[in-house]
Amino acid sequence: NGVGIDHFGFLEDGTFKQRYLVNNEHWDQKGGPILFYTGNEGDITWFCNNTGFMWDVAEELGAMLVFAEHRYYGESLPFGQDSYSDAKHLNYLTSEQALADFSVLIRELKRTVLGAQKSPVIAIGGSYGGMLSAWLRMKYPNVVVGALAASAPIWQFPDMVPCGDFYKIVTQDFARSGLNCDVNIRRSWKAIDNITATDDGLQWLSGEFSLCSPLKKTDLDGFKAWLQETWVNLAMVDYPYEANFLQPLPRWPIQVVCKHLGFDPSVVSDYQLLGGISEAARVYYNYTGNCPCLNTSSTATGNLGFIGWYYQACTEMVMPLCTDGIQDMFEPQDWNFQAFSDECHSLFGVRPRADWADTVYGGLDIASHSNIIFSNGGLDPWSSGGVTRNISDSVVAIVIPDGAHHLDLRYNNEYDPHTVLSARVLEVKYFKLWITQARKLQIPG
Amino acid sequence: NGVGIDHFGFLEDGTFKQRYLVNNEHWDQKGGPILFYTGNEGDITWFCNNTGFMWDVAEELGAMLVFAEHRYYGESLPFGQDSYSDAKHLNYLTSEQALADFSVLIRELKRTVLGAQKSPVIAIGGSYGGMLSAWLRMKYPNVVVGALAASAPIWQFPDMVPCGDFYKIVTQDFARSGLNCDVNIRRSWKAIDNITATDDGLQWLSGEFSLCSPLKKTDLDGFKAWLQETWVNLAMVDYPYEANFLQPLPRWPIQVVCKHLGFDPSVVSDYQLLGGISEAARVYYNYTGNCPCLNTSSTATGNLGFIGWYYQACTEMVMPLCTDGIQDMFEPQDWNFQAFSDECHSLFGVRPRADWADTVYGGLDIASHSNIIFSNGGLDPWSSGGVTRNISDSVVAIVIPDGAHHLDLRYNNEYDPHTVLSARVLEVKYFKLWITQARKLQIPG
């Protein structure tokens, strides 16, 4: 009982309990489809609650819903509390093992759930979970009849897309959300340098941001990285209504942020500018008003498994990002693979394989696959590595111009732009097509 | 330099030297195709010499030939002399690792060989190598544009085909090659029991077969298994001309064997019958006349890696075979997974996963793939687990009624039946189609 820890070797024959959530309230037990969420780097209950789309369409499709947790996250820990203890225990944290887990689970469900034997299964996921959905269809087309890969940056790997596109999109989101907004953020880095040149300045800045721990000179890079990640996260969750994904936020949060950053850049002082920046950051960190101080060591929900994801980035998920300060509003920073590799080695004792994702998942050359929808949000920085054009009749792209990170996977909302509504309609249309195809192709017996 | 020992984990970061052979005598350096032999369980030079088809078509296609050795065989030993020392060292002997080796090698060749960057690559293999060719196309369609899987029993796994078909085909080969041939072999097992009931009988039998070591009572099961494997091997290499694949043999060797087994079964004595069996076995083991005695501990060429293949059978390559003595000419023997698993555990410290091949390689459900030819010999017992009907327009089957094990992969020969000649013509036609498709689809840049 349980799923094998190592699908690709036979020395380690231990098993572990993989968590998955099932809802069959609307399921047509006579072979109705299964919508299978391919869990990503976090607690599956959180993804379950943030994937309302599946709940919204279950009745129309007569579908069973399954949300499968990714190994090494949430409660699905192959070695319990030791899972993260060293490189030896982390060795089975790979996307290939996770895909095999999903395949084994789906086959097990079909074998054991009465009525599910011939149920067509559709993989659904967002972000890394979306990459897994697409890859599950690519690698195990016998297990899933199709995949919806929402905001899945399957091309954000070395030599596939320009490393600067990601931050360009972040910048565009701020540029379009308020006058001078990106310009003032671009100027803020120098203002931080200017002000923190003195101890008084450091103290002022710590107070202005209500930081939980006052800044030291040596914290400055970390502080800037924290701010940069704040803007990135805002770009990811720039939803058209109040929501709580990475943080509780107002509707169109970047517009709210930008209200604090509208100064004329030619006349604003460094102090005024950083005052605005601190107000802006508070929109993200303290929308509820319950946050007594800002903590620069975290930027988002605790539901995500940061260490696990870091390990994955340090092994397979090598995603180059870079900034130039011209096409984006950040300080220039090249992609430095060697430095990254060294950091990985000192943290985890492993080194990333820059080419592996391209080899194993096909890179730009995915035309021979079928039944995959890649949906992308025009506001989402991860659309930089997404598939945004049709590859074939059955590997198709949907772009939702005013959508942020996998908006289409969220519950219907009265504030949804019409573009996301039509995206969802189209997605369901493809689902039905795949289900019909699958029933026709079914092997007798 | 070298290829990674573990593609699916990052703890083991060692590399090893994989052997591959290249011929570019006829290669069109301006992007001519690459025919890539996916090596199976043995020394690659031997497969290279027994795959004349690739040499025969190289000029017509302007193709480079590459023969890649499978890890753990020949000289491609991940841990040198220690590679087989224990389950820990054997842990990286899997088909998935081998497929990844091939993909990494192909990408490396394209990157480093001038003119090969855009060369379409076609995977070719026979037997287990043919399974690997098909799977390489299924799992890495970005790396190979198509695959010729010759005599590849991708369906010889649990619950896919009846376990008795294999030996039925062996029996049919003998039945059609001479009057009473299968009937007399079927009777030989009881005759062995009768005669070896006494010590004199044992001695007589050892002498009659010129065995290198005289038979003991406890050797009888082994002796019968050796004979059974002899008949199986003959069925595999029942070629229409003199050849030396598993052993040096005359043309249509089963016909020659059956000349010794034509007695009227109702009048022949046990001694006469086993005399005929020993003559028949000698056709297989001593066609050259250079063999002073018969050795029951081996049945075929030393170019195959038997221990490695046993380990693979004990892990992923679980291929149920069984006999009933009615539809086949062997003693009845059920497929006993538990006994097999226990044997594997005592030999290697691992247990087979009966379901895994089905999960990972799609089982009967391979219709969503493309550009695969499954060629099968009607005489070949392995056709029992082969794909012998078209699955789609581009996953197609070829049956060569008078072909044995991957006859189509051998050099052209004046004695070739016309069915294998047309099979080869059709195979080349598909190759050209795939090459044309690939050139059209090529991603710019």
Side-chain angles (χ1 to χ4, degrees):
Chain A
N1 223 291
V3 60
I5 291 176
D6 188 5
H7 296 287
F8 302 101
F10 291 75
L11 180 64
E12 169 60 75
D13 63 350
T15 60
F16 72 101
K17 284 203 186 296
Q18 179 180 23
R19 180 164 57 157
Y20 60 96
L21 316 174
V22 178
N23 179 287
N24 49 21
E25 185 186 345
H26 295 294
W27 186 46
D28 169 6
Q29 215 186 321
K30 291 188 287 298
I34 298 173
L35 303 184
F36 186 93
Y37 189 89
T38 52
N40 18 347
E41 71 282 22
D43 188 301
I44 194 61
T45 59
W46 179 63
F47 292 109
C48 177
N49 292 330
N50 278 282
T51 312
F53 171 67
M54 284 170 60
W55 299 88
D56 283 338
V57 301
E59 186 168 4
E60 179 179 355
L61 295 170
M64 184 195 302
L65 306 183
V66 178
F67 296 85
E69 194 160 68
H70 190 297
R71 55 166 60 200
Y72 286 85
Y73 297 102
E75 299 182 356
S76 300
L77 301 174
F79 301 102
Q81 296 308 309
D82 295 331
S83 300
Y84 281 86
S85 56
D86 54 27
K88 195 170 142 67
H89 287 88
L90 279 165
N91 195 41
Y92 309 98
L93 171 49
T94 66
S95 57
E96 290 88 347
Q97 299 277 9
L99 295 175
D101 291 342
F102 295 147
S103 298
V104 167
L105 172 57
I106 290 169
R107 286 169 55 94
E108 185 67 11
L109 290 172
K110 286 187 155 197
R111 207 175 58 76
T112 56
V113 177
L114 195 69
Q117 200 200 334
K118 297 188 172 182
S119 291
V121 180
I122 293 171
I124 298 178
S127 198
Y128 170 52
M131 298 162 76
L132 292 171
S133 282
W135 294 337
L136 189 60
R137 171 63 188 169
M138 292 181 194
K139 294 293 185 183
Y140 297 86
N142 50 312
V143 173
V144 294
V145 302
L148 169 57
S151 297
I154 64 158
W155 286 346
Q156 194 69 49
F157 291 98
D159 302 323
M160 295 190 202
V161 293
C163 61
D165 284 1
F166 180 92
Y167 285 106
K168 257 202 291 203
I169 297 170
V170 177
T171 304
Q172 284 158 10
D173 290 350
F174 284 81
R176 82 174 99 195
S177 298
L179 190 67
N180 295 329
C181 194
D182 61 317
V183 179
N184 281 317
I185 292 177
R186 186 182 281 109
R187 291 166 54 98
S188 69
W189 314 109
K190 186 75 174 70
I192 292 170
D193 289 341
N194 292 342
I195 282 183
T196 58
T198 66
D199 287 346
D200 282 358
L202 269 176
Q203 205 184 325
W204 176 84
L205 196 66
S206 303
E208 184 65 24
F209 274 82
S210 314
L211 297 183
C212 302
S213 332
L215 281 178
K216 295 189 294 288
K217 267 239 148 30
T218 50
D219 298 336
L220 274 189
D221 285 349
F223 177 73
K224 285 178 179 174
W226 170 78
L227 266 184
Q228 179 161 328
E229 203 170 308
T230 304
W231 310 139
V232 167
N233 286 359
L234 275 159
M236 282 170 60
V237 296
D238 195 24
Y239 295 129
Y241 46 81
E242 237 184 28
N244 178 1
F245 186 55
L246 300 177
Q247 292 278 3
L249 288 174
R251 66 181 301 232
W252 294 122
I254 297 188
Q255 286 182 18
V256 181
V257 159
C258 287
K259 286 204 177 109
H260 300 286
L261 295 168
F263 337 98
D264 177 346
S266 65
V267 298
V268 69
S269 76
D270 286 343
Y271 288 96
Q272 283 175 299
L273 176 56
L274 294 184
I277 294 280
S278 104
E279 290 302 321
R282 249 177 266 269
V283 171
Y284 182 74
Y285 290 107
N286 197 19
Y287 176 57
T288 58
N290 295 329
C291 180
C293 61
L294 301 196
N295 178 355
T296 58
S297 65
S298 100
T299 61
T301 169
N303 287 308
L304 282 166
F306 286 106
I307 303 175
W309 183 249
Y310 208 141
Y311 174 84
Q312 291 197 258
C314 275
T315 48
E316 299 181 301
M317 299 296 140
V318 181
M319 300 188 169
L321 298 178
C322 62
T323 49
D324 65 6
I326 298 161
Q327 301 204 69
D328 56 65
M329 62 189 188
F330 301 99
E331 293 192 293
Q333 181 135 39
D334 289 340
W335 165 245
N336 183 337
F337 178 73
Q338 192 53 52
F340 179 62
S341 175
D342 291 345
E343 188 183 335
C344 291
H345 193 256
S346 78
L347 277 171
F348 297 110
V350 296
R351 290 193 181 274
R353 296 178 190 154
D355 277 352
W356 176 240
D358 191 2
T359 302
V360 73
Y361 294 124
L364 301 177
D365 183 4
I366 57 171
S368 69
H369 299 287
S370 60
N371 294 5
I372 306 176
I373 306 165
F374 291 98
S375 66
N376 301 274
L379 307 178
D380 179 20
W382 289 111
S383 67
S384 64
V387 179
T388 53
R389 53 183 163 75
N390 286 0
I391 302 294
S392 70
D393 283 353
S394 81
V395 176
V396 298
I398 295 176
V399 177
I400 304 157
D402 32 17
H405 203 43
H406 47 69
L407 174 63
D408 49 332
L409 291 193
R410 302 184 64 81
Y411 277 112
N412 265 305
N413 185 291
E414 56 176 321
Y415 291 109
D416 271 332
H418 69 91
T419 52
V420 76
L421 298 177
S422 7
R424 291 190 189 121
V425 168
L426 190 53
E427 287 161 5
V428 170
K429 205 174 129 192
Y430 277 110
F431 291 177
K432 289 179 177 171
L433 177 67
W434 299 340
I435 293 166
T436 310
Q437 279 176 351
R439 295 208 166 116
K440 275 190 201 149
L441 284 173
Q442 215 142 50
I443 294 162
Chain B
N1 220 293
V3 58
I5 290 176
D6 188 5
H7 296 288
F8 302 102
F10 292 75
L11 180 63
E12 169 61 74
D13 64 350
T15 60
F16 72 102
K17 285 204 186 294
Q18 180 180 23
R19 181 164 57 155
Y20 61 96
L21 314 173
V22 178
N23 178 287
N24 50 23
E25 185 187 343
H26 296 295
W27 185 46
D28 169 7
Q29 215 187 322
K30 290 189 287 297
I34 298 173
L35 303 184
F36 186 93
Y37 189 89
T38 51
N40 18 348
E41 70 282 20
D43 187 300
I44 194 62
T45 59
W46 181 63
F47 292 109
C48 178
N49 292 330
N50 279 282
T51 311
F53 171 67
M54 284 169 61
W55 299 88
D56 282 339
V57 302
E59 185 167 4
E60 180 180 353
L61 295 170
M64 184 194 303
L65 306 183
V66 179
F67 295 85
E69 194 161 65
H70 191 297
R71 54 166 60 201
Y72 286 85
Y73 297 102
E75 299 183 356
S76 300
L77 301 173
F79 302 102
Q81 296 309 309
D82 295 332
S83 299
Y84 280 85
S85 57
D86 55 25
K88 194 171 142 68
H89 288 87
L90 279 164
N91 195 43
Y92 310 97
L93 171 49
T94 67
S95 58
E96 291 87 347
Q97 299 277 8
L99 295 175
D101 290 342
F102 295 146
S103 298
V104 167
L105 172 56
I106 290 169
R107 287 169 55 95
E108 185 66 10
L109 290 172
K110 287 187 155 198
R111 207 174 58 75
T112 57
V113 177
L114 195 69
Q117 200 200 333
K118 297 189 173 181
S119 290
V121 181
I122 293 171
I124 298 179
S127 197
Y128 169 52
M131 298 162 75
L132 292 171
S133 282
W135 294 337
L136 189 61
R137 171 63 188 169
M138 291 181 193
K139 294 295 185 182
Y140 298 86
N142 51 313
V143 172
V144 294
V145 302
L148 168 57
S151 296
I154 64 158
W155 285 347
Q156 194 69 50
F157 291 98
D159 302 323
M160 296 190 201
V161 294
C163 62
D165 284 1
F166 180 92
Y167 285 105
K168 259 203 285 202
I169 297 170
V170 177
T171 303
Q172 285 158 10
D173 290 350
F174 285 79
R176 82 175 98 194
S177 298
L179 191 66
N180 296 328
C181 195
D182 60 318
V183 179
N184 281 315
I185 293 176
R186 186 182 282 111
R187 292 165 55 97
S188 68
W189 315 109
K190 185 74 174 67
I192 292 170
D193 290 341
N194 292 341
I195 282 184
T196 59
T198 67
D199 287 345
D200 282 359
L202 268 174
Q203 207 185 324
W204 176 84
L205 196 67
S206 304
E208 185 65 24
F209 274 81
S210 313
L211 296 183
C212 302
S213 331
L215 281 177
K216 294 189 294 285
K217 268 240 152 24
T218 50
D219 297 336
L220 276 188
D221 285 350
F223 178 72
K224 286 178 178 172
W226 170 78
L227 267 183
Q228 178 161 331
E229 204 170 308
T230 304
W231 310 140
V232 167
N233 287 358
L234 275 159
M236 283 170 60
V237 296
D238 195 22
Y239 296 129
Y241 46 82
E242 238 185 27
N244 179 359
F245 185 54
L246 301 177
Q247 292 278 4
L249 288 174
R251 67 180 298 231
W252 293 121
I254 297 187
Q255 288 181 17
V256 181
V257 159
C258 287
K259 286 201 178 110
H260 301 285
L261 294 168
F263 338 97
D264 176 347
S266 64
V267 298
V268 71
S269 75
D270 286 344
Y271 289 96
Q272 282 175 300
L273 176 56
L274 295 184
I277 295 280
S278 101
E279 291 302 320
R282 252 177 264 267
V283 171
Y284 183 73
Y285 290 108
N286 198 18
Y287 177 57
T288 58
N290 295 329
C291 179
C293 61
L294 302 195
N295 178 355
T296 59
S297 64
S298 99
T299 62
T301 170
N303 287 306
L304 282 166
F306 286 105
I307 303 176
W309 182 249
Y310 209 141
Y311 174 84
Q312 290 196 256
C314 274
T315 49
E316 298 181 301
M317 298 297 139
V318 180
M319 300 188 169
L321 298 178
C322 62
T323 49
D324 66 5
I326 298 161
Q327 303 204 69
D328 56 66
M329 62 187 188
F330 300 99
E331 293 191 292
Q333 181 137 39
D334 290 341
W335 164 246
N336 184 337
F337 178 73
Q338 191 54 53
F340 178 63
S341 174
D342 291 345
E343 188 183 336
C344 292
H345 193 256
S346 78
L347 277 171
F348 298 111
V350 297
R351 291 193 180 274
R353 296 178 190 154
D355 278 352
W356 177 238
D358 191 5
T359 303
V360 72
Y361 295 125
L364 301 177
D365 184 6
I366 57 171
S368 68
H369 299 287
S370 60
N371 295 5
I372 306 177
I373 306 166
F374 291 98
S375 67
N376 302 273
L379 306 179
D380 179 19
W382 290 111
S383 66
S384 64
V387 179
T388 54
R389 52 184 163 75
N390 286 0
I391 302 295
S392 70
D393 283 355
S394 82
V395 177
V396 298
I398 295 177
V399 176
I400 303 158
D402 33 15
H405 204 43
H406 48 68
L407 175 62
D408 50 331
L409 291 192
R410 302 184 64 79
Y411 277 113
N412 265 303
N413 185 289
E414 55 176 322
Y415 291 110
D416 271 332
H418 69 91
T419 52
V420 75
L421 298 178
S422 4
R424 292 191 187 118
V425 168
L426 190 53
E427 286 161 7
V428 170
K429 205 177 127 189
Y430 277 111
F431 291 178
K432 290 179 176 169
L433 177 68
W434 300 338
I435 293 165
T436 310
Q437 279 176 352
R439 295 210 165 115
K440 274 190 201 145
L441 283 173
Q442 216 141 50
I443 293 161

